[in-house]
């Protein structure tokens, strides 16, 4: 009887023991698999490493690692030596070869097909096939592990509210040294809401965005029912209304497409667009209106080219054209600005046609987390000489109607966005969002920041001082976390030392870029089957895609004209080499420049 009781006790103790995989023993993307209660095996298949913990490099892995420059070195080379890169950018063959390498090297770290989700930390058909989940880059930390990060750090993580108040919350506005403006900030928010669509009713592990990529559901609606409510059902166009001679989205009352507005918003200011949350701020509705105008403009172009086409074909082909425009603008304007590179990025799907490349994508929960760039937002918004705080800006489409798209573009082009990395720059008005993000990451049991760095072939940080680049914040973080290997991903990327003169730190750039480029180039329209003029209604439609720029989009949306000048993501006259605005005199003179009359300089 005693022996039987001891055996039951021993089995219970074994069942409660920590998994040997809690210590993340398998290195270099090796997969840990338990063998009984106290042993494990590392699967090193196709990692380029071997040995018990996948730590011994094969010859070609060693050679590649020896010759390959570090990410910091590559970043320095790409963001300096402007004269050299100007020469490279003028030789299409060389530029294309480098761009092909960029695309393949950035896409390689992203698992395709997907491997995990928040409920399955091992390969399963459910993790692969259930599109209602965000995929996971790394499996969740096991429930039986002794600490929240496996075996490192303290048994309890610091209070999320305390972390936000001490390390993330803004004391004073810190401008982005790359010169990003509010046009850029709202572009980022508008663009990403088509695939970052957390299903709050089901939980942070789930997404409502079944497309998992660039499908412009934020313009056309996630469901067919919503799409039909937003369509004019004539000439392929989206429904619209005219206000003082300008095209705007229809109202909720007219379209019957539900939107999220507080009860006090007047019916005539409840505009309806594809994404139901875009009534939140006028900056999002501004971009929604610009894309609405672009869709209807392209429909007119196609109708002239194809008078024989019906409403449905005009609509569907225009949507494909706008998807192509979006991807081109995202790579050549948006990501180009984010990177700070002097090498000119190029959107050319044919660069990958002779490569083994999968045209599919799944949005990762970690990518969603990393894209919480609230430090971009200023404390107040300046439009045409008026200042709006958040209380007067939120859910106030009348701001857009009162000033007009032209004046909003001009004003947002001149107002500087905030720096994302470096800590202490999250606006007080959105601190609850930062707290909630940390709490949700803990519910999904994310692994540590260092584990993600290792997965993306970055050296793990050895200390909090190396992470932050200073001593005071580092000491406070160490006191709270106890071990650098227990530093969480989201607060980690916000307190990380930024690149010199940059908006982000190394982790955001080196992990974010693979997610971005794989998601964009993995789109169906970039495949050999789709990337041809007939997909886009012939050469005219194809040229709309291949010629797309931010400046053309904005100029067509504001003035519906081909007269356009410089449009980018930086504040006007920003000196990219010195990372500082040039002279106050020039900026003052710019205030006298009227965008509406010239479709002039619009910057991100």
């Amino acid at each position: 009887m005693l022996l039987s009781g001891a055996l039951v006790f021993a089995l219970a103790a074994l069942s409660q023991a920590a998994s040997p995989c809690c210590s993340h023993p398998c290195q270099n993307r090796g997969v840990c698999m338990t063998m009984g209660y106290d042993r494990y095996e590392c699967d090193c298949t196709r990692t380029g490493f071997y040995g018990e913990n996948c730590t011994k490099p094969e010859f070609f892995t060693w050679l590649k690692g020896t010759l390959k420059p570090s990410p910091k070195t590559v970043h320095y080379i790409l963001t300096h030596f402007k004269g050299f890169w100007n020469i490279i950018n003028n030789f299409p063959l060389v530029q294309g070869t480098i761009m092909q390498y960029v695309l393949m090297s950035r896409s390689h770290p992203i698992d395709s097909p997907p491997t995990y989700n928040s409920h399955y930390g091992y390969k399963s058909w459910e993790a692969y096939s259930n599109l209602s989940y965000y995929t996971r880059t790394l499996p969740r930390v096991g429930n039986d592990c002794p600490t929240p990060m496996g075996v490192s750090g303290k048994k309890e993580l610091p209070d999320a509210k305390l972390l936000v108040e001490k390390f993330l919350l803004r004391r004073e506005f810190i401008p982005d040294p790359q010169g990003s403006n509010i046009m850029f900030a709202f572009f980022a928010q508008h663009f990403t809401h088509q695939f970052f669509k957390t299903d709050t009713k089901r939980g942070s592990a789930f997404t409502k965005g079944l497309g998992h990529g660039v499908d412009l559901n934020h313009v056309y609606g996630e469901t067919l029912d919503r799409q039909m409510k937003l369509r004019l059902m004539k000439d392929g166009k989206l429904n619209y209304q005219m206000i003082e001679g300008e095209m705007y989205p229809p109202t909720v009352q007219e379209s019957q497409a539900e939107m999220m507005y507080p009860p006090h918003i007047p019916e005539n200011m409840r505009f309806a667009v594809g994404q139901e949350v875009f009534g939140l701020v006028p900056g999002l509705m501004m971009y929604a209106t610009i894309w609405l105008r672009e869709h209807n403009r392209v429909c007119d172009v196609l109708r002239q080219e194809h008078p024989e086409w019906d409403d449905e074909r005009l609509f569907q082909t225009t949507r494909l054209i706008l998807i192509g425009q979006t991807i081109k603008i995202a790579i050549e304007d948006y990501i180009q600005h984010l990177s700070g590179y002097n090498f000119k990025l190029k959107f050319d799907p044919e660069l990958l046609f002779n490569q083994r490349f999968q045209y599919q994508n799944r949005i990762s929960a970690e990518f969603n987390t990393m894209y919480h760039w609230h430090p971009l937002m200023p404390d107040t918004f300046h439009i045409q000489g008026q200042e709006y705080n958040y209380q007067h800006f939120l859910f106030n489409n009348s701001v857009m109607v009162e000033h007009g798209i032209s004046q909003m573009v001009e004003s947002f082009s001149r107002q500087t966005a905030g720096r994302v990395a470096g800590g202490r720059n999250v606006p007080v008005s959105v601190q609850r969002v930062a707290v909630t993000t940390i709490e949700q990451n803990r519910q999904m049991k994310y692994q540590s920041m260092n584990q993600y760095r290792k997965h993306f072939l970055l050296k793990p940080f050895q200390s909090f001082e190396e992470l932050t680049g200073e001593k005071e914040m580092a000491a406070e973080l160490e006191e709270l976390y106890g071990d650098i290997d227990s530093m969480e991903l989201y607060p980690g990327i916000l307190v990380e030392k930024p690149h010199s003169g940059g908006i982000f730190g190394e982790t955001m750039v080196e992990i974010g870029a693979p997610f971005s480029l794989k998601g964009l180039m993995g789109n169906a329209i970039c495949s050999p089957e789709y990337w041809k003029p007939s997909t886009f209604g012939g050469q005219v439609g194809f040229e709309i895609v291949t010629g797309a720029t931010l400046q053309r989009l904005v100029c067509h949306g504001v003035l519906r004209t081909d007269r356009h000048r410089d449009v980018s993501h930086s504040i006007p006259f920003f000196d990219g080499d010195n990372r500082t605005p040039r002279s106050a005199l020039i900026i003052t003179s710019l205030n006298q420049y009227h965008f509406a009359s010239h479709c002039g300089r619009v910057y991100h």
Side-chain angles (χ1 to χ4, degrees):
M1 187 72 177
L2 287 174
L3 183 61
S4 176
L7 182 61
V8 169
F9 179 81
L11 289 173
L14 281 172
S15 66
Q16 295 173 3
S19 163
C21 290
C22 284
S23 60
H24 309 298
C26 305
Q27 304 300 303
N28 300 303
R29 308 191 81 178
V31 178
C32 185
M33 184 173 65
T34 56
M35 305 292 291
Y37 292 104
D38 57 355
R39 294 186 302 109
Y40 69 90
E41 278 189 1
C42 290
D43 185 348
C44 308
T45 305
R46 288 183 292 278
T47 63
F49 291 83
Y50 65 98
E52 183 180 2
N53 292 332
C54 308
T55 54
K56 298 178 180 179
E58 297 170 359
F59 174 74
F60 285 108
T61 303
W62 170 84
L63 184 63
K64 182 180 177 181
T66 302
L67 298 176
K68 185 179 179 180
S70 70
K72 286 183 180 179
T73 301
V74 172
H75 185 85
Y76 181 85
I77 293 171
L78 289 169
T79 55
H80 292 74
F81 312 109
K82 191 171 184 178
F84 169 77
W85 290 115
N86 285 342
I87 296 172
I88 294 296
N89 294 333
N90 286 316
F91 285 88
L93 182 62
V94 180
Q95 182 201 23
T97 301
I98 295 175
M99 189 66 202
Q100 182 187 71
Y101 172 78
V102 169
L103 291 172
M104 291 305 298
S105 61
R106 288 301 197 188
S107 299
H108 177 71
I110 305 300
D111 291 331
S112 186
T115 47
Y116 312 110
N117 64 27
S118 290
H119 289 137
Y120 290 89
Y122 49 87
K123 306 293 194 311
S124 68
W125 191 253
E126 180 73 8
Y128 164 73
S129 64
N130 193 335
L131 297 179
S132 66
Y133 280 96
Y134 288 115
T135 189
R136 284 285 290 268
T137 302
L138 290 180
R140 57 185 286 141
V141 176
N143 293 328
D144 56 354
C145 293
T147 73
M149 291 300 158
V151 298
S152 302
K154 300 181 179 181
K155 292 186 179 296
E156 291 188 8
L157 291 167
D159 178 71
K161 189 171 183 293
L162 176 66
L163 280 176
V164 172
E165 290 175 349
K166 284 179 69 71
F167 305 107
L168 305 187
L169 213 58
R170 179 176 293 162
R171 274 62 167 170
E172 62 178 356
F173 177 74
I174 304 172
D176 168 31
Q178 279 183 224
S180 302
N181 59 20
I182 302 304
M183 281 293 287
F184 166 78
F186 282 126
F187 183 95
Q189 195 174 10
H190 181 271
F191 169 70
T192 58
H193 267 72
Q194 65 187 301
F195 43 79
F196 294 149
K197 302 183 69 172
T198 300
D199 190 338
T200 53
K201 292 181 180 179
R202 299 184 67 187
S204 51
F206 295 91
T207 175
K208 294 185 289 185
L210 302 183
H212 283 269
V214 178
D215 59 5
L216 270 60
N217 67 76
H218 62 330
V219 175
Y220 302 109
E222 183 69 53
T223 65
L224 182 59
D225 176 65
R226 186 174 185 87
Q227 178 195 118
M228 300 306 285
K229 289 176 179 178
L230 293 172
R231 286 174 60 175
L232 186 63
M233 307 307 295
K234 181 182 178 182
D235 298 331
K237 293 185 176 182
L238 293 171
N239 200 359
Y240 63 92
Q241 61 173 315
M242 299 300 291
I243 303 176
E244 297 183 0
E246 295 286 331
M247 183 184 293
Y248 288 97
T251 63
V252 171
Q253 189 175 46
E254 180 186 358
S255 66
Q256 295 301 302
E258 293 183 5
M259 294 285 291
M260 295 177 60
Y261 287 107
H264 69 275
I265 303 300
E267 290 292 341
N268 67 325
M269 287 294 112
R270 296 179 178 226
F271 295 158
V273 294
Q275 168 56 270
E276 60 269 20
V277 304
F278 277 179
L280 177 66
V281 286
L284 294 176
M285 194 58 71
M286 172 193 71
Y287 269 113
T289 301
I290 289 172
W291 280 109
L292 163 69
R293 294 176 180 181
E294 179 66 4
H295 175 94
N296 288 352
R297 183 191 75 85
V298 173
C299 282
D300 285 336
V301 173
L302 288 181
R303 187 161 59 96
Q304 186 173 358
E305 190 77 6
H306 296 283
E308 76 281 10
W309 282 8
D310 61 10
D311 169 74
E312 187 66 20
R313 185 161 188 181
L314 286 168
F315 172 82
Q316 296 294 348
T317 304
T318 298
R319 181 172 184 168
L320 290 174
I321 289 173
L322 263 66
I323 289 172
Q325 288 178 287
T326 298
I327 295 173
K328 186 172 188 295
I329 291 170
I331 290 176
E332 295 190 2
D333 287 299
Y334 176 65
I335 296 178
Q336 180 74 60
H337 171 76
L338 280 177
S339 69
Y341 293 167
N342 289 319
F343 170 68
K344 189 175 181 180
L345 301 179
K346 181 181 181 182
F347 173 55
D348 183 359
E350 293 186 19
L351 293 174
L352 298 177
F353 286 178
N354 63 348
Q355 303 291 319
R356 296 180 62 187
F357 190 81
Q358 293 181 307
Y359 293 97
Q360 59 176 320
N361 189 58
R362 283 282 290 277
I363 297 298
S364 160
E366 293 94 341
F367 189 32
N368 182 21
T369 291
M370 293 178 68
Y371 234 108
H372 283 70
W373 294 352
H374 294 98
L376 287 172
M377 287 295 146
D379 295 318
T380 58
F381 300 90
H382 305 276
I383 307 174
Q384 207 175 0
Q386 295 189 42
E387 185 175 20
Y388 295 91
N389 59 27
Y390 281 85
Q391 181 180 353
H392 294 103
F393 202 64
L394 298 181
F395 294 108
N396 191 0
N397 287 329
S398 64
V399 170
M400 180 176 68
V401 175
E402 176 188 343
H403 295 286
I405 299 295
S406 172
Q407 289 295 341
M408 290 186 72
V409 168
E410 182 183 8
S411 297
F412 289 160
S413 294
R414 295 205 217 110
Q415 187 173 358
T416 307
R419 188 183 70 189
V420 176
R424 294 173 179 161
N425 208 24
V426 172
V428 175
S429 56
V430 293
Q431 72 176 102
R432 183 59 209 164
V433 178
V435 173
T436 301
T437 301
I438 294 173
E439 291 173 342
Q440 289 175 342
N441 292 174
R442 291 174 179 180
Q443 291 168 8
M444 291 193 288
K445 300 183 75 68
Y446 278 14
Q447 293 188 32
S448 71
M449 182 182 192
N450 267 346
Q451 288 301 124
Y452 284 101
R453 285 181 61 86
K454 288 193 286 186
H455 182 81
F456 283 89
L457 307 182
L458 297 171
K459 291 183 178 179
F461 289 119
Q462 298 300 309
S463 67
F464 287 96
E465 189 171 333
E466 185 183 3
L467 165 67
T468 63
E470 50 84 270
K471 296 182 181 296
E472 180 184 348
M473 192 186 302
E476 293 175 333
L477 285 167
E478 185 167 15
E479 183 179 352
L480 289 173
Y481 279 99
D483 190 328
I484 186 62
D485 284 331
S486 66
M487 184 69 216
E488 297 171 271
L489 178 64
Y490 172 64
I493 59 177
L494 289 189
V495 301
E496 183 178 4
K497 176 184 177 182
H499 279 301
S500 177
I503 187 172
F504 299 128
E506 180 185 54
T507 306
M508 180 73 80
V509 172
E510 298 301 321
I511 296 181
F515 283 127
S516 298
L517 290 174
K518 175 61 175 71
L520 291 167
M521 298 305 297
N523 194 284
I525 72 156
C526 299
S527 67
E529 291 75 17
Y530 274 70
W531 188 251
K532 54 188 67 174
S534 57
T535 301
F536 307 100
Q539 196 61 37
V540 170
F542 198 43
E543 287 175 359
I544 293 176
V545 175
T546 58
T549 64
L550 179 69
Q551 79 183 56
R552 285 181 175 153
L553 171 70
V554 172
C555 289
H556 287 146
V558 172
L559 293 177
R560 299 175 301 283
T561 176
D562 285 323
R563 292 183 294 114
H564 38 257
R565 298 186 182 178
D566 294 335
V567 185
S568 73
H569 285 133
S570 300
I571 58 174
F573 298 104
F574 189 81
D575 189 333
D577 292 328
N578 296 322
R579 306 295 182 193
T580 55
R582 290 181 184 165
S583 73
L585 180 61
I586 295 177
I587 297 299
T588 301
S589 68
L590 185 72
N591 293 336
Q592 301 167 7
Y593 181 82
H594 297 291
F595 171 81
S597 62
H598 298 91
C599 192
R601 297 182 179 272
V602 185
Y603 298 81
H604 269 187

